[in-house]
C-alpha cells in the first residue's frame, strides 16, 4: 500500500512501552492531520459553515419522493478552462450499515426501550415495523416520530421518559465504522489541489430522521456532500449526473456505488451508464440485510473477514479506478475485479496513475550508455515489437530483463518502540518480489526506521493499509 505524505511537523508522544499505544497515537495524529487538511479554509474545496449549507431539492417534479442534496464544500463553477479538472471518480456510499453500524444502533436502542419501560422485545419489533409507511413509490420508510408516538400511547404520562430514551446519552459517533471513515479520509485527503475523488453519502429514509442522525456525527469532516432520498437512489444519481455534469458539458466521472442492501444493488444495476461504473456490495457482518444475495449481475462484493478488510479493499478499488485504463465497459471493469486480487488491481493501476516509471541504464559492447524509461505498467513480452536500440541488437525486453526490479507486496509484524534517546522507531518485515534476469523471486527483509525524534515527525509518511486496518 502506498505511503502518503502529510504536513504534520510535530506530535506529542510520551515515553511508552506498549507498541500498540505508540501506534495508536501515531496513526491518530495522521487522522487529525487529514481532517485538518480536508477542512482548511484555504483548501480548494472549502468546507461551508452551517449557515451557508442548505438542502437543495433534486427534482422539480412535485410527484417525486422527497430528494435533497446538502453541499458540504464550496463547489467552484466549472468552465471550459477546467473541464479536464473535473472529478475523475465519484464515490456514492450508503450511510446505514456501511458508514454507520445502524443495525447495531437499532438493536441497542430497542434493548434500551424495553429495559427502561419493561416493554416486550417482540412487541417493540412489531411497533417498529408498523411505524414504516409506504411512500409514493410503494417503498417502506421508517417514520421515527410515529414509533415514538406509538410508545407514548402505550405508556401515557411517560412522555419525558420516552423522549429521553431516544435523545439522551447517545453518542452517534460510537456507531460510525472507523475503518470506512479512515478509508474515505485517505481518499478525499490525498491532494491539496483540485479533487480527483468526490465522496457523497446517499441515504434512503425519512429525510428529517436521517438528517438528524447524520448531523450528530462528525462524518461531514470526511465527505463532500450528503444526499437524502425517500425514492430510487438510481434515479437520484441519474438526475445529478445530468444536472452537474452532462448539462454543463463536463465528462461524467467514474461512478462507484457502495451499498449493503440487495434492493439498492438491484436498483443501481439499471443505471443509465454503459461504462465507468462499479456496483459494489458491502457485506457487513453486523448488517441486518447485508448478507442477502441480490439478483443483479456484475456486482463486486467486499467482505469483512478480517478487521477493516472491506474498508481497505474499498480504498484500493476506488484509488485504482483513477487509472484511465479502467474507463471501459461495465463488463470489462467487472472482469478486471471479479475473482481477482484487489491488491494486484490496485498495485498496477495506482503505480500507473502516479506516473511512476522504471529507469534503466545499460552500456553496450561499443561503450555506448543508454538510458531507457519504461512505463510503470511495462511487462516483459510487451516490448518485443520495439526496434533494436543498441549495438548488441538488444531491444526493450532485453534491457528490462537484465536488471533487478523490486516490488514490495506485503508488510507484516509492524511494531513501534522507543530507544533510550527517546526516538520512536517503526519496524516491520517486508515481503517483496524481485525480478532478476527475467526470473521472479520472492524474498523478505527486516526494516527499521526512525519516525519521531523530540516529538518531531522525521518520517512524514503513513502506510495507508496500516492507517485503515488498525482502528477500532
Amino acid at each position: 500500500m502506498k505511503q502518503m505524505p502529510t504536513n504534520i511537523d510535530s506530535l506529542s508522544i510520551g515515553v511508552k512501552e506498549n507498541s500498540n499505544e505508540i501506534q495508536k497515537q501515531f496513526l491518530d495524529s495522521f487522522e487529525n492531520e487529514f481532517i485538518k487538511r480536508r477542512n482548511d479554509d484555504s483548501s480548494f474545496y472549502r468546507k461551508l459553515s452551517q449557515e451557508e449549507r442548505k438542502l437543495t431539492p433534486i427534482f422539480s417534479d412535485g410527484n417525486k419522493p422527497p430528494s435533497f442534496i446538502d453541499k458540504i464544500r464550496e463547489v467552484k463553477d466549472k468552465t471550459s478552462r477546467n473541464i479536464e479538472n473535473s472529478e475523475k471518480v465519484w464515490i456514492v456510499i450508503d450511510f446505514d450499515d456501511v458508514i454507520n453500524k445502524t443495525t447495531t444502533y437499532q438493536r441497542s436502542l430497542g434493548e434500551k426501550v424495553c429495559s427502561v419501560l419493561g416493554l416486550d422485545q417482540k412487541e417493540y419489533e412489531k411497533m417498529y415495523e408498523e411505524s414504516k409507511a409506504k411512500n409514493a413509490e410503494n417503498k417502506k420508510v421508517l417514520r421515527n416520530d410515529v414509533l415514538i408516538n406509538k410508545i407514548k400511547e402505550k405508556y401515557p404520562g411517560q412522555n419525558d421518559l420516552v423522549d429521553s430514551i431516544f435523545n439522551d446519552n447517545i453518542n452517534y459517533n460510537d456507531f460510525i465504522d472507523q475503518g470506512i471513515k479512515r478509508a474515505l479520509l485517505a481518499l478525499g485527503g490525498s491532494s491539496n489541489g483540485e479533487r480527483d475523488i468526490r465522496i457523497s453519502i446517499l441515504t434512503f429514509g425519512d429525510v428529517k430522521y436521517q438528517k438528524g442522525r447524520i448531523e450528530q456525527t462528525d462524518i461531514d469532516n470526511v465527505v463532500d456532500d450528503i444526499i437524502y432520498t425517500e425514492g430510487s437512489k438510481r434515479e437520484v444519481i441519474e438526475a445529478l449526473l445530468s444536472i452537474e455534469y452532462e448539462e454543463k458539458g463536463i465528462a461524467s466521472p467514474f461512478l462507484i456505488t457502495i451499498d449493503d442492501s440487495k434492493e439498492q444493488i438491484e436498483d443501481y444495476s439499471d443505471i443509465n451508464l454503459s461504462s465507468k461504473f462499479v456496483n459494489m456490495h458491502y457485506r457487513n457482518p453486523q448488517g441486518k440485510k447485508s448478507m442477502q444475495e441480490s439478483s443483479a449481475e456484475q456486482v463486486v462484493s467486499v467482505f469483512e473477514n478480517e478487521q477493516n478488510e472491506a474498508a481497505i479493499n474499498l480504498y484500493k478499488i476506488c484509488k485504482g479506478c483513477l487509472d484511465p485504463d479502467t474507463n471501459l465497459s461495465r463488463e470489462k471493469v467487472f472482469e478486471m475485479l471479479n475473482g481477482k486480487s484487489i491488491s494486484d488491481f490496485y498495485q498496477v493501476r495506482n503505480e500507473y496513475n502516479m506516473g511512476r516509471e522504471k529507469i534503466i541504464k545499460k552500456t553496450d559492447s561499443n561503450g555506448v550508455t543508454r538510458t531507457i524509461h519504461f512505463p510503470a505498467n511495462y511487462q516483459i513480452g510487451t516490448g518485443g515489437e520495439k526496434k533494436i536500440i543498441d549495438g548488441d541488437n538488444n531491444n526493450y525486453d532485453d534491457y528490462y530483463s537484465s536488471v533487478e526490479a523490486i516490488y514490495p507486496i506485503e508488510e507484516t509484524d509492524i511494531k513501534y518502540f522507543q530507544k533510550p534517546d527517546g526516538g520512536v522507531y517503526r519496524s516491520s518485515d517486508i515481503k517483496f518480489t524481485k525480478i532478476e534476469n527475467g526470473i521472479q523471486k520472492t524474498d523478505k527483509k527486516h526494516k527499521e526506521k526512525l519516525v519521531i525524534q523530540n516529538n518531531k515527525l522525521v518520517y512524514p509518511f503513513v502506510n495507508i493499509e496500516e492507517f485503515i486496518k488498525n482502528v477500532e
Side-chain angles (χ1 to χ4, degrees), residues 155-193:
Y155 295 94
Q158 299 291 322
N159 288 5
D160 290 344
L161 178 59
V162 174
D163 286 337
S164 69
I165 294 172
F166 280 84
N167 297 308
D168 296 347
N169 301 318
I170 298 177
N171 185 348
Y172 286 86
N173 277 319
D174 288 345
F175 300 96
I176 293 293
D177 186 310
Q178 297 300 313
I180 295 290
K181 176 183 174 181
R182 281 195 173 178
L184 298 178
L185 260 178
L187 287 165
S190 60
S191 173
N192 285 320

Tab-separated table of all heavy atoms in Angstrom, residues 155-193:
chain	number	residue	atom	x	y	z
A	155	TYR	N	-47.567	4.094	26.941
A	155	TYR	CA	-47.141	4.485	28.287
A	155	TYR	C	-47.553	5.934	28.547
A	155	TYR	O	-46.707	6.843	28.535
A	155	TYR	CB	-45.620	4.309	28.444
A	155	TYR	CG	-45.182	2.867	28.357
A	155	TYR	CD1	-44.769	2.329	27.139
A	155	TYR	CD2	-45.217	2.043	29.483
A	155	TYR	CE1	-44.385	0.997	27.050
A	155	TYR	CE2	-44.823	0.702	29.398
A	155	TYR	CZ	-44.418	0.190	28.177
A	155	TYR	OH	-44.039	-1.140	28.101
A	156	PRO	N	-48.841	6.192	28.740
A	156	PRO	CA	-49.309	7.578	28.978
A	156	PRO	C	-48.688	8.151	30.239
A	156	PRO	O	-48.462	7.442	31.221
A	156	PRO	CB	-50.836	7.409	29.118
A	156	PRO	CG	-51.039	5.977	29.488
A	156	PRO	CD	-49.947	5.214	28.818
A	157	GLY	N	-48.376	9.440	30.155
A	157	GLY	CA	-47.757	10.116	31.289
A	157	GLY	C	-46.255	9.927	31.362
A	157	GLY	O	-45.607	10.438	32.281
A	158	GLN	N	-45.680	9.187	30.389
A	158	GLN	CA	-44.237	8.920	30.397
A	158	GLN	C	-43.532	9.597	29.203
A	158	GLN	O	-42.482	9.144	28.759
A	158	GLN	CB	-43.984	7.411	30.345
A	158	GLN	CG	-44.546	6.630	31.516
A	158	GLN	CD	-43.811	6.939	32.804
A	158	GLN	OE1	-42.594	7.122	32.819
A	158	GLN	NE2	-44.557	7.026	33.901
A	159	ASN	N	-44.134	10.689	28.712
A	159	ASN	CA	-43.578	11.332	27.511
A	159	ASN	C	-42.129	11.761	27.677
A	159	ASN	O	-41.283	11.542	26.796
A	159	ASN	CB	-44.427	12.545	27.122
A	159	ASN	CG	-45.770	12.134	26.540
A	159	ASN	OD1	-46.104	10.960	26.521
A	159	ASN	ND2	-46.541	13.114	26.071
A	160	ASP	N	-41.812	12.402	28.792
A	160	ASP	CA	-40.443	12.882	29.006
A	160	ASP	C	-39.468	11.716	29.069
A	160	ASP	O	-38.338	11.796	28.550
A	160	ASP	CB	-40.360	13.705	30.295
A	160	ASP	CG	-41.072	15.044	30.174
A	160	ASP	OD1	-41.362	15.450	29.027
A	160	ASP	OD2	-41.343	15.682	31.215
A	161	LEU	N	-39.883	10.634	29.713
A	161	LEU	CA	-39.013	9.462	29.816
A	161	LEU	C	-38.762	8.855	28.435
A	161	LEU	O	-37.617	8.513	28.094
A	161	LEU	CB	-39.643	8.422	30.743
A	161	LEU	CG	-38.866	7.098	30.928
A	161	LEU	CD1	-37.474	7.368	31.489
A	161	LEU	CD2	-39.644	6.142	31.819
A	162	VAL	N	-39.809	8.739	27.633
A	162	VAL	CA	-39.660	8.191	26.280
A	162	VAL	C	-38.736	9.076	25.450
A	162	VAL	O	-37.838	8.591	24.745
A	162	VAL	CB	-41.032	8.033	25.590
A	162	VAL	CG1	-40.856	7.613	24.126
A	162	VAL	CG2	-41.884	7.014	26.335
A	163	ASP	N	-38.942	10.388	25.504
A	163	ASP	CA	-38.079	11.321	24.765
A	163	ASP	C	-36.618	11.176	25.179
A	163	ASP	O	-35.707	11.229	24.342
A	163	ASP	CB	-38.546	12.762	24.983
A	163	ASP	CG	-39.815	13.093	24.220
A	163	ASP	OD1	-40.092	12.410	23.205
A	163	ASP	OD2	-40.530	14.019	24.637
A	164	SER	N	-36.391	10.994	26.497
A	164	SER	CA	-35.015	10.880	26.982
A	164	SER	C	-34.350	9.607	26.470
A	164	SER	O	-33.149	9.587	26.189
A	164	SER	CB	-34.979	10.918	28.507
A	164	SER	OG	-35.551	9.741	29.073
A	165	ILE	N	-35.125	8.523	26.321
A	165	ILE	CA	-34.565	7.267	25.804
A	165	ILE	C	-34.047	7.461	24.386
A	165	ILE	O	-32.980	6.964	24.021
A	165	ILE	CB	-35.638	6.152	25.831
A	165	ILE	CG1	-36.016	5.805	27.271
A	165	ILE	CG2	-35.128	4.895	25.117
A	165	ILE	CD1	-37.202	4.851	27.381
A	166	PHE	N	-34.805	8.206	23.578
A	166	PHE	CA	-34.453	8.376	22.171
A	166	PHE	C	-33.452	9.507	21.930
A	166	PHE	O	-32.889	9.589	20.838
A	166	PHE	CB	-35.714	8.628	21.335
A	166	PHE	CG	-36.477	7.382	21.018
A	166	PHE	CD1	-37.385	6.848	21.918
A	166	PHE	CD2	-36.284	6.719	19.818
A	166	PHE	CE1	-38.094	5.693	21.624
A	166	PHE	CE2	-36.984	5.562	19.511
A	166	PHE	CZ	-37.885	5.038	20.427
A	167	ASN	N	-33.239	10.354	22.915
A	167	ASN	CA	-32.418	11.544	22.658
A	167	ASN	C	-31.212	11.721	23.584
A	167	ASN	O	-30.229	12.350	23.188
A	167	ASN	CB	-33.286	12.808	22.750
A	167	ASN	CG	-34.380	12.836	21.702
A	167	ASN	OD1	-34.113	12.668	20.526
A	167	ASN	ND2	-35.623	13.012	22.141
A	168	ASP	N	-31.283	11.190	24.785
A	168	ASP	CA	-30.235	11.468	25.768
A	168	ASP	C	-29.162	10.385	25.774
A	168	ASP	O	-29.444	9.201	25.580
A	168	ASP	CB	-30.826	11.599	27.177
A	168	ASP	CG	-31.779	12.786	27.303
A	168	ASP	OD1	-31.777	13.627	26.380
A	168	ASP	OD2	-32.524	12.852	28.297
A	169	ASN	N	-27.950	10.827	26.040
A	169	ASN	CA	-26.818	9.912	26.267
A	169	ASN	C	-26.562	8.961	25.099
A	169	ASN	O	-26.141	7.821	25.296
A	169	ASN	CB	-27.036	9.094	27.550
A	169	ASN	CG	-27.185	9.988	28.777
A	169	ASN	OD1	-26.453	10.960	28.930
A	169	ASN	ND2	-28.150	9.663	29.630
A	170	ILE	N	-26.833	9.416	23.894
A	170	ILE	CA	-26.490	8.627	22.709
A	170	ILE	C	-25.359	9.338	21.975
A	170	ILE	O	-25.529	10.473	21.524
A	170	ILE	CB	-27.696	8.465	21.762
A	170	ILE	CG1	-28.834	7.714	22.450
A	170	ILE	CG2	-27.275	7.718	20.493
A	170	ILE	CD1	-30.090	7.587	21.602
A	171	ASN	N	-24.219	8.685	21.892
A	171	ASN	CA	-23.109	9.231	21.121
A	171	ASN	C	-23.145	8.583	19.739
A	171	ASN	O	-22.737	7.435	19.563
A	171	ASN	CB	-21.770	8.939	21.815
A	171	ASN	CG	-20.602	9.605	21.099
A	171	ASN	OD1	-20.744	10.102	19.982
A	171	ASN	ND2	-19.448	9.601	21.734
A	172	TYR	N	-23.658	9.305	18.773
A	172	TYR	CA	-23.850	8.727	17.443
A	172	TYR	C	-22.527	8.385	16.760
A	172	TYR	O	-22.487	7.518	15.881
A	172	TYR	CB	-24.676	9.681	16.570
A	172	TYR	CG	-26.137	9.707	16.961
A	172	TYR	CD1	-26.599	10.548	17.972
A	172	TYR	CD2	-27.056	8.866	16.343
A	172	TYR	CE1	-27.942	10.556	18.343
A	172	TYR	CE2	-28.403	8.869	16.708
A	172	TYR	CZ	-28.836	9.712	17.713
A	172	TYR	OH	-30.163	9.707	18.087
A	173	ASN	N	-21.443	9.032	17.170
A	173	ASN	CA	-20.140	8.693	16.600
A	173	ASN	C	-19.680	7.296	17.009
A	173	ASN	O	-18.829	6.704	16.349
A	173	ASN	CB	-19.084	9.719	17.016
A	173	ASN	CG	-19.101	10.944	16.133
A	173	ASN	OD1	-19.252	10.848	14.910
A	173	ASN	ND2	-18.958	12.113	16.731
A	174	ASP	N	-20.234	6.771	18.102
A	174	ASP	CA	-19.873	5.416	18.532
A	174	ASP	C	-20.282	4.375	17.499
A	174	ASP	O	-19.757	3.251	17.506
A	174	ASP	CB	-20.543	5.077	19.872
A	174	ASP	CG	-19.929	5.819	21.048
A	174	ASP	OD1	-18.821	6.364	20.884
A	174	ASP	OD2	-20.555	5.857	22.125
A	175	PHE	N	-21.218	4.724	16.619
A	175	PHE	CA	-21.723	3.762	15.651
A	175	PHE	C	-21.147	3.985	14.245
A	175	PHE	O	-21.515	3.268	13.308
A	175	PHE	CB	-23.251	3.812	15.616
A	175	PHE	CG	-23.879	3.484	16.940
A	175	PHE	CD1	-24.262	4.491	17.817
A	175	PHE	CD2	-24.043	2.166	17.328
A	175	PHE	CE1	-24.823	4.192	19.053
A	175	PHE	CE2	-24.601	1.851	18.561
A	175	PHE	CZ	-24.987	2.867	19.428
A	176	ILE	N	-20.262	4.960	14.105
A	176	ILE	CA	-19.591	5.174	12.821
A	176	ILE	C	-18.506	4.114	12.646
A	176	ILE	O	-17.721	3.852	13.551
A	176	ILE	CB	-18.961	6.581	12.749
A	176	ILE	CG1	-20.047	7.659	12.735
A	176	ILE	CG2	-18.058	6.720	11.518
A	176	ILE	CD1	-20.915	7.670	11.494
A	177	ASP	N	-18.465	3.477	11.475
A	177	ASP	CA	-17.432	2.499	11.172
A	177	ASP	C	-16.121	3.259	10.937
A	177	ASP	O	-15.951	3.934	9.917
A	177	ASP	CB	-17.818	1.693	9.926
A	177	ASP	CG	-16.858	0.552	9.636
A	177	ASP	OD1	-15.640	0.791	9.620
A	177	ASP	OD2	-17.324	-0.582	9.421
A	178	GLN	N	-15.201	3.158	11.878
A	178	GLN	CA	-13.979	3.963	11.833
A	178	GLN	C	-13.046	3.543	10.698
A	178	GLN	O	-12.282	4.357	10.189
A	178	GLN	CB	-13.255	3.894	13.176
A	178	GLN	CG	-14.048	4.480	14.342
A	178	GLN	CD	-14.379	5.944	14.141
A	178	GLN	OE1	-13.541	6.748	13.772
A	178	GLN	NE2	-15.640	6.302	14.385
A	179	GLY	N	-13.102	2.263	10.303
A	179	GLY	CA	-12.290	1.826	9.174
A	179	GLY	C	-12.755	2.472	7.886
A	179	GLY	O	-11.940	2.964	7.084
A	180	ILE	N	-14.088	2.490	7.659
A	180	ILE	CA	-14.640	3.153	6.475
A	180	ILE	C	-14.324	4.645	6.516
A	180	ILE	O	-13.962	5.255	5.501
A	180	ILE	CB	-16.165	2.926	6.391
A	180	ILE	CG1	-16.483	1.444	6.184
A	180	ILE	CG2	-16.765	3.782	5.283
A	180	ILE	CD1	-16.111	0.897	4.834
A	181	LYS	N	-14.450	5.233	7.694
A	181	LYS	CA	-14.168	6.666	7.833
A	181	LYS	C	-12.732	6.967	7.417
A	181	LYS	O	-12.473	7.922	6.669
A	181	LYS	CB	-14.405	7.104	9.274
A	181	LYS	CG	-14.049	8.563	9.558
A	181	LYS	CD	-14.256	8.892	11.030
A	181	LYS	CE	-13.768	10.297	11.362
A	181	LYS	NZ	-13.936	10.606	12.799
A	182	ARG	N	-11.783	6.154	7.892
A	182	ARG	CA	-10.380	6.396	7.532
A	182	ARG	C	-10.108	6.143	6.049
A	182	ARG	O	-9.308	6.848	5.431
A	182	ARG	CB	-9.459	5.536	8.398
A	182	ARG	CG	-9.246	6.115	9.784
A	182	ARG	CD	-8.072	5.486	10.491
A	182	ARG	NE	-7.794	6.181	11.746
A	182	ARG	CZ	-6.835	5.811	12.593
A	182	ARG	NH1	-6.077	4.762	12.324
A	182	ARG	NH2	-6.636	6.499	13.707
A	183	ALA	N	-10.790	5.154	5.473
A	183	ALA	CA	-10.625	4.915	4.042
A	183	ALA	C	-11.083	6.133	3.241
A	183	ALA	O	-10.413	6.571	2.295
A	183	ALA	CB	-11.408	3.674	3.625
A	184	LEU	N	-12.226	6.708	3.628
A	184	LEU	CA	-12.738	7.892	2.938
A	184	LEU	C	-11.831	9.102	3.181
A	184	LEU	O	-11.624	9.927	2.286
A	184	LEU	CB	-14.162	8.196	3.399
A	184	LEU	CG	-15.213	7.116	3.103
A	184	LEU	CD1	-16.572	7.539	3.653
A	184	LEU	CD2	-15.307	6.836	1.606
A	185	LEU	N	-11.288	9.209	4.397
A	185	LEU	CA	-10.357	10.300	4.702
A	185	LEU	C	-9.134	10.229	3.804
A	185	LEU	O	-8.679	11.230	3.255
A	185	LEU	CB	-9.920	10.224	6.165
A	185	LEU	CG	-10.591	11.141	7.171
A	185	LEU	CD1	-10.043	10.876	8.568
A	185	LEU	CD2	-10.424	12.603	6.797
A	186	ALA	N	-8.574	9.020	3.679
A	186	ALA	CA	-7.376	8.847	2.855
A	186	ALA	C	-7.674	9.128	1.392
A	186	ALA	O	-6.848	9.695	0.673
A	186	ALA	CB	-6.827	7.435	3.030
A	187	LEU	N	-8.869	8.761	0.934
A	187	LEU	CA	-9.242	9.019	-0.462
A	187	LEU	C	-9.469	10.505	-0.703
A	187	LEU	O	-8.978	11.075	-1.678
A	187	LEU	CB	-10.514	8.240	-0.808
A	187	LEU	CG	-10.354	6.728	-0.966
A	187	LEU	CD1	-11.714	6.037	-0.947
A	187	LEU	CD2	-9.611	6.400	-2.252
A	188	GLY	N	-10.217	11.140	0.184
A	188	GLY	CA	-10.565	12.547	-0.021
A	188	GLY	C	-9.456	13.510	0.319
A	188	GLY	O	-9.441	14.641	-0.170
A	189	GLY	N	-8.513	13.087	1.140
A	189	GLY	CA	-7.445	13.988	1.570
A	189	GLY	C	-6.133	13.757	0.873
A	189	GLY	O	-5.083	14.174	1.347
A	190	SER	N	-6.185	13.087	-0.281
A	190	SER	CA	-4.942	12.698	-0.936
A	190	SER	C	-4.312	13.803	-1.762
A	190	SER	O	-3.223	13.661	-2.271
A	190	SER	CB	-5.191	11.479	-1.834
A	190	SER	OG	-6.159	11.793	-2.821
A	191	SER	N	-5.020	14.916	-1.902
A	191	SER	CA	-4.473	16.001	-2.727
A	191	SER	C	-4.830	17.344	-2.122
A	191	SER	O	-5.909	17.535	-1.583
A	191	SER	CB	-5.042	15.907	-4.146
A	191	SER	OG	-4.658	17.025	-4.905
A	192	ASN	N	-3.885	18.282	-2.207
A	192	ASN	CA	-4.153	19.640	-1.731
A	192	ASN	C	-4.759	20.518	-2.829
A	192	ASN	O	-5.182	21.634	-2.582
A	192	ASN	CB	-2.856	20.290	-1.233
A	192	ASN	CG	-2.437	19.730	0.107
A	192	ASN	OD1	-3.258	19.501	0.968
A	192	ASN	ND2	-1.142	19.492	0.261
A	193	GLY	N	-4.751	20.005	-4.028
A	193	GLY	CA	-5.278	20.780	-5.138
A	193	GLY	C	-6.697	20.370	-5.472
A	193	GLY	O	-7.463	19.977	-4.610
